[in-house]
Amino acid sequence: MTASPRRVPPGPPRRAAPGILRKLRSDRIGLMSEAVREYGDAVRVSIGPKTLYIFNHPDHAKHVLADNAANYHKGIGYTEAKRALGDGLLTSEGALWKEQRRTIQPVFQHKRIAAQADVIIDEALSLVERLTAHRDSGAPVDVLSEITALTLGVLGSTLLDTDLSAFDAVEHSFEAVQDQAMFEMETLGMVPRWLPLKGQRAFRAGRDHLQHVVGLLVEQRKARPSATGDDVLTRLIASTAKESDKRVADRRMRDELVTLLLAGHETTASTVGWTLDLVSRHPEVRERLHEEAVAVYGDRRPAYEDLTRLRYTHMVLQEAMRLFPPVWILPRRALADDEVGGYHVPAGSEVLICPYILHRHPRYWPEPDRFLPERFDPDVTSDRPRYAHIPFGAGPRFCVGNHLGMMEATFIISTLMRDLRFDTVPGFAVKPEPMMSLRLGGGLPLTVHSFPDLGRAAA
């Protein structure tokens, strides 16, 4: 008796590989969006020695990321990014990843995060003060650069218990490292790193600078221990001290801190940036945000206890992350044969779950490209599957800092919206730049104004 053939997802023919490679470099999101539109929720794409499986259904995401997560390690992009980022929490696997997660997890406990609210509020109020200087001038301000500086400062204070303001050049280094990580993905890691390419040189300079910064942070903490001892830096020093080989300990410390510095501030900066871009293009949402912030805060300083009252702000942030999720893609590699959605996935295959596309699935999101915060009204019941919305990933590798990121974004948006109105610059459109997170290509130039009913100075 002959066994029935295994089902294979549809997809483009192998002869399309050169065009797919070009599109992978120029428009990664467009490539996957088009594939799903043409072939459905499961697509098989062959590119040279690689076979990619794109799965775009909540059940597929649940299976790969949660139910059978043990069969999947980080895949294309993150695997190649190890050459740039090393073995940090984003790229490590197995026992090392578990040890790293155990080390860092206590820093994100609810009680400790709540105690950091005042740090975030101070930074948000300072941002309002800086932007108020541009109010009603008519001159565009790159708000994204301000937000990025804020989130890096918050990361230093809340997670590392240190001041990172002296290291403002790390943004350029992060950009060079991310560019190299994405280049490794686009070229499938087959371009030798010794070639004198411009990007390779920029990467090496950026990597060396980040390692220098990390070394300084560790030296400073060892010389001046934290009063509480519950920050990431102190915990990493204690954890890596257990390594018998100092070179291994130093490398692990470097990899983990570089990853934390990169992922710990950029995802929040992207979320706040995309939210401000969307809000500035939707006056009715902007007005409602302002009204809520005034009703909750009045003229006083925001407080941690206000978070639960900022319901509409939370809805707006959830909808912004639906359209522009900070974690825009979740690549995995199958360790053993599997079946996803009825389709055979051979061991070694690259599996892609793309929240950016999944969040726009018309079956679960009517008018998927519209910005409608009401989708997340807690008073309206919805039969959407849990895995139709996964802006922070899902399963065991769910983003460890999601609660801190959401608290930070909520305070930043609500504090800004209480005091300032932002308008888009005519003719400028932000373009999604899918790197390690979903960045705002070209920055975020906005003009800063008073609300018509605002008769007070910024708090």
Side-chain angles (χ1 to χ4, degrees):
M1 184 175 178
T2 304
S4 58
R6 290 168 165 173
R7 291 180 69 204
V8 176
R14 283 189 173 274
R15 64 176 179 275
I20 291 172
L21 273 173
R22 287 192 295 271
K23 195 73 178 284
L24 184 64
R25 184 161 181 78
S26 63
D27 187 8
R28 290 180 281 278
I29 288 176
L31 170 67
M32 286 185 281
S33 298
E34 291 172 9
V36 167
R37 277 197 300 270
E38 184 170 353
Y39 297 103
D41 288 346
V43 185
R44 181 176 183 270
V45 181
S46 296
I47 312 174
K50 299 279 187 181
T51 300
L52 312 181
Y53 290 78
I54 303 171
F55 288 106
N56 192 50
H57 188 283
D59 291 346
H60 301 162
K62 182 175 183 291
H63 177 86
V64 172
L65 303 176
D67 295 346
N68 199 26
N71 187 52
Y72 292 91
H73 278 184
K74 288 292 184 84
I76 188 170
Y78 285 101
T79 302
E80 287 74 24
K82 282 190 178 186
R83 297 174 70 182
L85 296 175
D87 269 315
L89 195 63
L90 278 177
T91 55
S92 61
E93 299 288 355
L96 175 59
W97 174 79
K98 290 178 181 177
E99 171 64 21
Q100 290 170 337
R101 186 86 173 201
R102 278 195 298 268
T103 299
I104 199 173
Q105 185 81 49
V107 180
F108 294 97
Q109 289 176 348
H110 178 78
K111 185 177 179 180
R112 187 182 186 280
I113 292 302
Q116 305 298 321
D118 279 338
V119 173
I120 296 169
I121 292 166
D122 285 341
E123 292 280 1
L125 292 173
S126 295
L127 175 60
V128 169
E129 187 176 348
R130 292 196 300 275
L131 292 176
T132 297
H134 303 278
R135 188 167 58 187
D136 301 324
S137 69
V141 180
D142 184 8
V143 178
L144 182 62
S145 65
E146 291 280 357
I147 294 167
T148 302
L150 183 157
T151 56
L152 187 61
V154 167
L155 183 148
S157 298
T158 60
L159 300 185
L160 303 177
D161 193 19
T162 193
D163 183 2
L164 293 177
S165 60
F167 304 113
D168 54 355
V170 296
E171 277 303 315
H172 300 294
S173 299
F174 281 140
E175 187 168 346
V177 168
Q178 281 204 75
D179 287 344
Q180 180 65 19
M182 297 312 293
F183 177 75
E184 298 281 0
M185 184 194 78
E186 294 157 359
T187 59
L188 307 181
M190 294 189 291
V191 176
R193 286 173 65 182
W194 50 261
L195 287 176
L197 303 176
K198 181 180 179 181
Q200 308 267 40
R201 294 195 299 271
F203 159 69
R204 285 191 285 271
R207 179 195 58 193
D208 292 346
H209 177 243
L210 289 174
Q211 291 177 4
H212 174 68
V213 168
V214 165
L216 287 177
L217 291 174
V218 173
E219 287 178 13
Q220 291 172 4
R221 179 49 41 82
K222 287 181 177 178
R224 294 186 295 276
S226 168
T228 61
D230 67 345
D231 61 280
V232 171
L233 197 51
T234 300
R235 293 183 66 83
L236 281 177
I237 291 172
S239 177
T240 55
K242 302 171 187 175
E243 297 284 356
S244 57
D245 188 329
K246 185 179 183 301
R247 290 174 300 176
V248 173
D250 290 346
R251 183 171 65 249
R252 181 181 155 197
M253 175 76 74
R254 177 199 69 203
D255 292 349
E256 294 191 42
L257 283 175
V258 167
T259 298
L260 178 70
L261 287 170
L262 171 61
H265 83 286
E266 188 168 281
T267 51
T268 303
S270 295
T271 295
V272 173
W274 283 115
T275 302
L276 286 177
D277 178 60
L278 288 163
V279 167
S280 67
R281 299 177 190 280
H282 295 81
E284 71 288 353
V285 175
R286 182 176 60 198
E287 293 298 321
R288 191 170 166 187
L289 278 173
H290 170 65
E291 291 169 2
E292 178 178 80
V294 170
V296 172
Y297 296 147
D299 286 320
R300 66 170 173 79
R301 175 188 173 86
Y304 175 75
E305 292 73 22
D306 294 322
L307 279 176
T308 56
R309 300 173 61 199
L310 295 164
R311 286 164 48 105
Y312 188 66
T313 304
H314 182 78
M315 289 161 56
V316 169
L317 284 166
Q318 292 295 330
E319 176 68 348
M321 290 191 296
R322 181 188 70 82
L323 287 169
F324 299 102
V327 181
W328 71 277
I329 192 166
L330 299 161
R332 296 291 186 265
R333 177 171 296 137
L335 303 181
D337 285 8
D338 196 12
E339 186 175 289
V340 181
Y343 291 103
H344 177 63
V345 176
S349 298
E350 302 289 348
V351 174
L352 303 179
I353 305 293
C354 182
Y356 182 94
I357 303 172
L358 181 60
H359 290 183
R360 295 166 189 257
H361 199 305
R363 189 182 308 166
Y364 309 105
W365 306 100
E367 299 181 276
D369 294 325
R370 284 191 64 192
F371 179 54
L372 297 171
E374 291 73 20
R375 299 181 203 269
F376 292 94
D377 188 336
D379 295 330
V380 177
T381 58
S382 169
D383 59 356
R384 279 192 305 269
R386 157 72 181 84
Y387 285 79
H389 186 244
I390 48 173
F392 292 109
R397 301 199 72 142
F398 184 75
C399 176
V400 68
N402 71 97
H403 293 303
L404 175 62
M406 281 303 299
M407 180 171 75
E408 188 176 353
T410 302
F411 276 130
I412 295 171
I413 291 295
S414 58
T415 306
L416 289 174
M417 288 296 105
R418 176 181 67 174
D419 297 310
L420 301 171
R421 191 190 88 232
F422 298 93
D423 286 337
T424 58
V425 174
F428 182 85
V430 180
K431 182 182 178 182
E433 189 177 17
M435 303 295 282
M436 302 301 286
S437 65
L438 191 61
R439 298 197 303 199
L440 291 82
L444 183 61
L446 298 171
T447 54
V448 186
H449 309 274
S450 304
F451 276 96
D453 62 337
L454 190 62
R456 57 183 170 80

